[in-house]
Amino acid sequence: MKRFAVAAANALTTIAGTILGLLLVTFFIGRIMPIDPALAIAGDHASASAVAAIREQLGLDQPLAWQFMSYLGKIGRGDFGSSVMTSRPVLEDLARFFPATFELATTALLIATAIAVPAGIWAALQQRSTWDRAFRAVCLIGQSFPAFFLGMLFLLFFYVRLGIAPGSGRSGVMFDGVVEPVTGLLMVDTLLERNWAAFLDSAAHIALPASLLAFMALSVLAPMIRAFILETLSTEYMTAALAKGLSPVQAVTRHGLPNVAGKLIAMIVIAYANLLEGALVTETLFSWPGIGKYLTTSLLNADMNAVLGTTLVIGLFYLALNRAADVCGALVDPRLR
Amino acid sequence: MLSRRTLLGTAAALPFTYSLLARANAEALTDVVVIAQQIDDMISFDPGESFEASANELEGNCYCKLVRPDVVNPSEIVGDVAESWSISPDGRVLTFNLRKDCLFDSGRALTAHDAVFSLKRLIVLNKSPAFIIAQFGFTAANVEELIVAKDDHTLEITLPSPQAPSFVLSCLTSNPCAIVEKERALANQQGGDLGNGWLKTNSAGAGPFRLVSWTASDRVILEANPHFAGSLAVKRLVVRHIKDPEAQYLALQQGDVDIARDLGSDRLRSLTSSTQFHAVSQTQLTSLYIAMNVSVPEFAKNAVQQAVKWAIDYEGIAQNLTPLVWDVSQSFLPSGVAGALNETPFRRDVAKAKALLAEAGLAEGFSIAMDHYAASPYAEIAQAVQQNLREIGITVSLLPGEQKQVVTKTRARNHQLALLVWNADYFDPHSNAQAFCQNTDDRDESAFKMIAWRSHFQDAELSASVEIAAREVDAAARIERYQSMQRLFWERAPFAFLLQRKAVAMVREETSGMVLGPMPAYTRYEGLRKT
């Protein structure tokens, strides 16, 4: 019991320290940016008194340390402030933008994992074959081509040439505002309302951007899985398993995979975290109203409440994912307990 | 039982279900028009608060004003809810007689009390666009007495000081002077905000459309005002935020949008030859110029300023970098505004520019930094200017940045050279004249910090002319003054005007009736029709 309490206290201290560090760095980067937030907000016709009033309203006339402490106090009360860009509370914005990214990133991760794991194993078992070379070449394309270029290719091929995928946005014009947001995840909300046409439409809209992100993620995941499996294939226990008469596929799935499961989970979690905050280009190209676009637009407009709020949410998600990876890793691999 | 073959067959067919769905959508949407446009500048839908281009355009179609510009000839002002108006001989009292058949989208009749409330609200809220009428001397203390409803359909505005009538009327056509339904705004007010919180995401106007929903940086949905006097063929209008011009182009080609608003020169050129599309274009009051900060010793010399103006290849930039979307324009009054001189006195003359530099004692040239927007086509224009100036011995290092970053830097007067864009605030020459010519107090604590101040440009004669022209009641004399100011500006000001923007909407053949205005607030959707 005591050991559990100590572990929980340690975990909480780590989380609190990480969040504080994250906020501290983001806050001070925001303050040394070349844009004066008060001048940026004031507009062309603002008088000196209006600019001073905005500065006072934002607390920019106070010492930096005081500003930071005041911000922490507000965060503690659940007040993230309002966004200058959208005129709404940052929490409301996050509640709207984050589910869009979450839905996109989760779908992409599911696709990527479903393909990357069997493909990686297959490539390892077929090492140096034509299939293996082709597999590595495809992964190299995913790793080396910029998201913007690949995104345009996806749009040109699947949307324009074949006409089997919709273009940009989360839903078609017919389904705008048709479904009442409950979770913010459009596919889930349409299912909850049993609106099958809207569900199909939202699924069709997410297919292309999610496939693009999945392709980019799996082109990193799959070669690593291949490398893990190759490493296990050279171990003695695998040689013994094969000598007992197991087929290579049986040997890998029964003995190889459980041995690399911990590393695999950690890798998938990193890929997921990257998808959550790194979908900016995809969001721009596919007009996906997600958190990446919100963060960048806010940053470029010195909308610091929005930047800090978004950073905090992404940071919290990273922490949660890390913890989840630790727990899952320990569950599947006794050596990590 | 589900066989492997059935499963594979279903999976293979799934991607094609969307194509069937999409085809069904396109057939059903004859009364819906979808526009692809960059609308991430919008911060509010309240006309008393927002002054951004996309908000001005969308609100302009949801609200009426007392007067509006004529669709065919925008410099002509016609009544919107005002049936007629009169101006006292001294130019101080404007009396408007309002139409009796004008209804808000709630069905309630629009009266002079709503108009009075809206103008007072603008002053009392004192948000960014309040300057539009505050510049005449209205304050929260005097507006109660100066803007009054004589009866339900008569409104009287008494100006604190005499102003040119055309100047006042032009300002009244702008979006902040939109008429908001008083009863609904007050019914939804919180903490005495005059409905500001509610109107950020709702509309209460008498225009042809009303706001259904606005999702920031995503989409705006308007629907036809059921009580609008005219007939509207389009019942629903969806403006989708598609930031990337290439994505707009693809969506237009595929028929997912009916109109694309932000295509670049190349795409416009490729589509204009197609019979599937037609272009609607309109010269805007948007200027691209170079600001030379006079606090930099080299730019304090008039000869250097002139050398820069003579070094730039205006025609080359317009023809090669911005065909169809930006035209050469060298005056601080853009073409279309009353009194604008459409002359282009400067052209690329390297020998003359070098001689001017030598006259300033800088024959060896000098080095300087230029801020500019990083986006296209500004980055390409900046590179062309860099090349032009290198040829006369001025070495320019380029400092690309996001628009807000560059503008904020110039507001703090921290630039040396800056390539910038300026939009006129209202359809009157005073807007740009005041911004570029007036600077009577160059101290950091000055109360008026517009473009001239930001580059430390002070010219007593031009500053005085701005005030005189604004108060000139004789229209012809006023125009003449602005014309002489433009000539003086060419000789004395540290600003080189290069180009004027042309807005182009690329429209699919089945859609018609799109009217672009010279300012965003004047763009009209009510004539849209789809076959």
Side-chain angles (χ1 to χ4, degrees):
Chain A
M1 187 64 197
K2 191 183 167 193
R3 203 166 51 174
F4 177 76
V6 171
N10 277 341
L12 281 176
T13 313
T14 312
I15 290 171
T18 312
I19 291 175
L20 191 69
L22 186 71
L23 283 177
L24 193 72
V25 170
T26 318
F27 184 86
F28 284 103
I29 286 176
R31 290 297 181 267
I32 57 167
M33 269 171 60
I35 307 180
D36 177 346
L39 280 181
I41 294 165
D44 281 320
H45 297 276
S47 59
S49 60
V51 176
I54 292 170
R55 195 160 272 133
E56 196 182 326
Q57 192 189 333
L58 296 176
L60 298 171
D61 55 338
Q62 302 293 332
L64 266 184
W66 187 92
Q67 287 180 39
F68 184 62
M69 293 310 290
S70 157
Y71 181 73
L72 282 187
K74 282 184 184 168
I75 291 281
R77 294 193 298 276
D79 176 10
F80 283 54
S82 284
S83 157
V84 178
M85 290 297 296
T86 65
S87 298
R88 290 174 216 250
V90 169
L91 266 183
E92 263 182 41
D93 281 346
L94 290 174
R96 196 160 47 79
F97 289 117
F98 187 71
T101 299
F102 181 77
E103 191 174 30
L104 179 63
T106 309
T107 312
L109 187 81
L110 290 175
I111 299 172
T113 313
I115 299 172
V117 174
I121 294 171
W122 180 251
L125 293 173
Q126 304 284 320
Q127 196 192 4
R128 295 199 186 92
S129 68
T130 312
W131 286 112
D132 181 35
R133 289 201 182 93
F135 162 82
R136 280 188 287 161
V138 170
C139 289
L140 198 64
I141 290 173
Q143 287 171 28
S144 51
F145 279 67
F148 180 79
F149 179 73
L150 281 178
M152 279 311 289
L153 284 184
F154 268 52
L155 275 171
L156 283 170
F157 191 67
F158 296 107
Y159 173 49
V160 178
R161 182 61 64 88
L162 298 181
I164 58 167
S168 52
R170 277 184 96 186
S171 61
V173 176
M174 290 273 278
F175 300 99
D176 270 335
V178 166
V179 176
E180 198 62 37
V182 178
T183 61
L185 309 172
L186 205 52
M187 284 200 290
V188 177
D189 289 344
T190 49
L191 279 180
L192 287 176
E193 281 200 14
R194 293 172 190 275
N195 189 334
W196 305 116
F199 171 74
L200 265 183
D201 177 73
S202 60
H205 273 84
I206 206 170
L208 212 50
S211 302
L212 170 67
L213 283 176
F215 177 51
M216 303 198 72
L218 82 85
S219 59
V220 178
L221 280 177
M224 292 184 85
I225 293 165
R226 177 183 173 274
F228 290 159
I229 299 297
L230 281 177
E231 199 183 315
T232 59
L233 282 173
S234 63
T235 56
E236 287 178 357
Y237 66 83
M238 285 297 278
T239 313
L242 292 167
K244 273 195 321 186
L246 289 181
S247 71
V249 174
Q250 284 172 326
V252 167
T253 47
R254 285 188 201 169
H255 301 286
L257 266 184
N259 268 292
V260 297
K263 284 193 274 186
L264 205 63
I265 288 172
M267 239 172 46
I268 291 171
V269 164
I270 291 170
Y272 190 29
N274 286 338
L275 284 174
L276 277 171
E277 53 105 34
L280 168 69
V281 175
T282 317
E283 286 180 2
T284 305
L285 200 59
F286 289 88
S287 300
W288 197 265
I291 208 164
K293 215 161 69 153
Y294 178 63
L295 177 62
T296 316
T297 313
S298 307
L299 195 62
L300 296 176
N301 286 284
D303 191 352
M304 288 318 294
N305 283 339
V307 172
L308 286 165
T310 315
T311 312
L312 187 63
V313 167
I314 292 174
L316 283 172
F317 223 84
Y318 257 103
L319 285 172
L321 284 174
N322 266 320
R323 288 282 138 197
D326 289 348
V327 172
C328 292
L331 281 176
V332 298
D333 190 344
R335 291 170 298 184
L336 297 174
R337 282 172 204 162
Chain B
M1 196 178 146
L2 189 69
S3 68
R4 188 184 291 179
R5 187 178 293 174
T6 317
L7 188 70
L8 287 174
T10 312
L14 257 177
F16 298 95
T17 54
Y18 178 78
S19 55
L20 295 173
L21 197 68
R23 244 174 261 140
N25 285 352
E27 282 168 9
L29 299 180
T30 49
D31 59 353
V32 179
V33 165
V34 186
I35 301 176
Q37 192 173 354
Q38 294 168 356
I39 53 166
D40 53 351
D41 60 334
M42 256 181 84
I43 59 162
S44 166
F45 211 81
D46 184 347
E49 182 179 35
S50 61
F51 203 52
E52 296 68 39
S54 52
N56 271 336
E57 179 177 317
L58 289 158
E59 288 164 24
N61 284 281
C62 293
Y63 289 92
C64 288
K65 294 135 200 165
L66 287 170
V67 285
R68 63 178 174 82
D70 183 55
V71 174
V72 181
N73 177 16
S75 58
E76 189 80 24
I77 290 171
V78 297
D80 196 1
V81 301
E83 207 163 40
S84 63
W85 62 89
S86 60
I87 299 164
S88 67
D90 65 354
R92 284 195 59 193
V93 182
L94 291 86
T95 309
F96 295 89
N97 301 307
L98 309 194
R99 277 163 39 199
K100 296 186 176 70
D101 60 346
C102 203
L103 301 177
F104 286 110
D105 65 278
S106 63
R108 200 174 281 122
L110 184 153
T111 68
H113 302 289
D114 296 299
V116 168
F117 167 76
S118 305
L119 295 174
K120 280 182 187 169
R121 183 176 177 274
L122 182 61
I123 292 294
V124 173
L125 281 179
N126 198 23
K127 303 273 184 186
S128 169
F131 78 93
I132 288 276
I133 58 169
Q135 62 183 328
F136 302 132
F138 292 113
T139 62
N142 68 19
V143 72
E144 201 70 39
E145 291 169 14
L146 297 174
I147 302 180
V148 291
K150 289 292 179 188
D151 58 49
D152 278 359
H153 297 99
T154 312
L155 170 77
E156 191 176 274
I157 300 176
T158 306
L159 299 169
S161 60
Q163 304 288 341
S166 57
F167 174 27
V168 181
L169 288 171
S170 292
C171 289
L172 290 175
T173 67
S174 67
N175 213 47
C177 300
I179 300 172
V180 177
E181 186 182 341
K182 179 181 177 181
E183 202 157 316
R184 244 188 314 165
L186 291 180
N188 289 291
Q189 76 167 334
Q190 287 179 330
D193 71 348
L194 300 172
N196 174 234
W198 183 76
L199 284 166
K200 279 176 194 281
T201 52
N202 292 280
S203 67
F209 290 90
R210 68 179 177 191
L211 178 67
V212 175
S213 70
W214 162 45
T215 313
S217 299
D218 186 15
R219 63 188 66 194
V220 174
I221 302 176
L222 305 182
E223 67 178 14
N225 169 4
H227 302 284
F228 184 63
S231 71
L232 300 169
V234 167
K235 302 298 176 208
R236 199 174 171 88
L237 197 125
V238 180
V239 182
R240 288 182 51 196
H241 174 61
I242 302 183
K243 181 90 177 167
D244 184 49
E246 284 301 303
Q248 284 195 15
Y249 169 75
L250 295 180
L252 181 74
Q253 268 203 327
Q254 290 301 97
D256 279 349
V257 303
D258 301 297
I259 302 170
R261 298 289 302 276
D262 305 295
L263 300 184
S265 292
D266 290 348
R267 290 306 187 189
L268 287 173
R269 216 166 6 193
S270 70
L271 290 180
T272 38
S273 55
S274 165
T275 53
Q276 267 190 297
F277 309 96
H278 63 274
V280 176
S281 66
Q282 169 68 51
T283 302
Q284 303 267 289
L285 306 192
T286 304
S287 305
L288 186 132
Y289 68 99
I290 290 174
M292 297 168 246
N293 195 331
V294 177
S295 68
V296 176
E298 286 87 351
F299 290 133
K301 298 171 181 172
N302 181 263
V304 176
Q305 298 168 13
Q306 294 297 316
V308 170
K309 293 178 192 179
W310 283 102
I312 296 167
D313 183 8
Y314 303 89
E315 285 297 336
I317 290 172
Q319 281 170 18
N320 301 319
L321 300 179
T322 61
L324 301 174
V325 285
W326 290 87
D327 291 331
V328 174
S329 169
Q330 295 180 346
S331 171
F332 72 78
L333 287 185
S335 172
V337 172
L341 290 176
N342 293 325
E343 300 160 27
T344 49
F346 301 104
R347 63 180 194 289
R348 186 168 175 240
D349 187 335
V350 176
K352 184 168 183 169
K354 279 184 170 174
L356 281 161
L357 272 190
E359 181 190 319
L362 292 163
E364 299 303 312
F366 60 96
S367 297
I368 206 80
M370 181 164 82
D371 293 277
H372 65 89
Y373 307 157
S376 179
Y378 310 111
E380 292 87 338
I381 296 171
Q383 285 162 12
V385 170
Q386 181 189 41
Q387 175 64 28
N388 290 160
L389 295 185
R390 185 184 296 139
E391 285 171 35
I392 65 165
I394 302 177
T395 306
V396 179
S397 54
L398 298 179
L399 301 174
E402 284 304 315
Q403 187 164 344
K404 201 95 178 184
Q405 191 179 332
V406 175
V407 171
T408 307
K409 188 172 177 182
T410 61
R411 280 182 190 158
R413 306 207 272 193
N414 291 331
H415 63 289
Q416 294 182 324
L417 261 184
L419 181 75
L420 298 158
V421 170
W422 175 254
N423 296 294
D425 289 314
Y426 43 88
F427 204 72
D428 187 86
H430 183 71
S431 174
N432 278 19
Q434 189 184 39
F436 286 96
C437 302
Q438 195 168 42
N439 180 16
T440 51
D441 179 1
D442 199 48
R443 294 172 306 147
D444 284 347
E445 54 270 28
S446 169
F448 188 75
K449 298 180 171 182
M450 290 301 281
I451 310 296
W453 176 88
R454 291 175 199 172
S455 284
H456 294 278
F457 170 54
Q458 271 196 302
D459 186 288
E461 192 179 345
L462 279 170
S463 286
S465 286
V466 171
E467 287 304 315
I468 296 166
R471 286 171 171 71
E472 179 58 68
V473 180
D474 181 338
R478 191 166 181 248
I479 297 289
E480 206 170 298
R481 181 164 290 275
Y482 282 120
Q483 290 181 337
S484 63
M485 283 169 71
Q486 287 166 82
R487 293 196 178 92
L488 216 55
F489 191 87
W490 280 327
E491 289 169 20
R492 300 179 184 175
F495 301 102
F497 277 79
L498 275 68
L499 307 168
Q500 181 175 358
R501 184 166 180 256
K502 195 186 271 181
V504 184
M506 193 52 82
V507 186
R508 288 186 67 86
E509 60 173 339
E510 58 272 18
T511 304
S512 60
M514 181 75 188
V515 176
L516 293 175
M519 297 187 74
Y522 299 167
T523 289
R524 310 298 297 172
Y525 304 146
E526 66 208 69
L528 279 172
R529 185 169 293 280
K530 198 170 162 188
T531 53

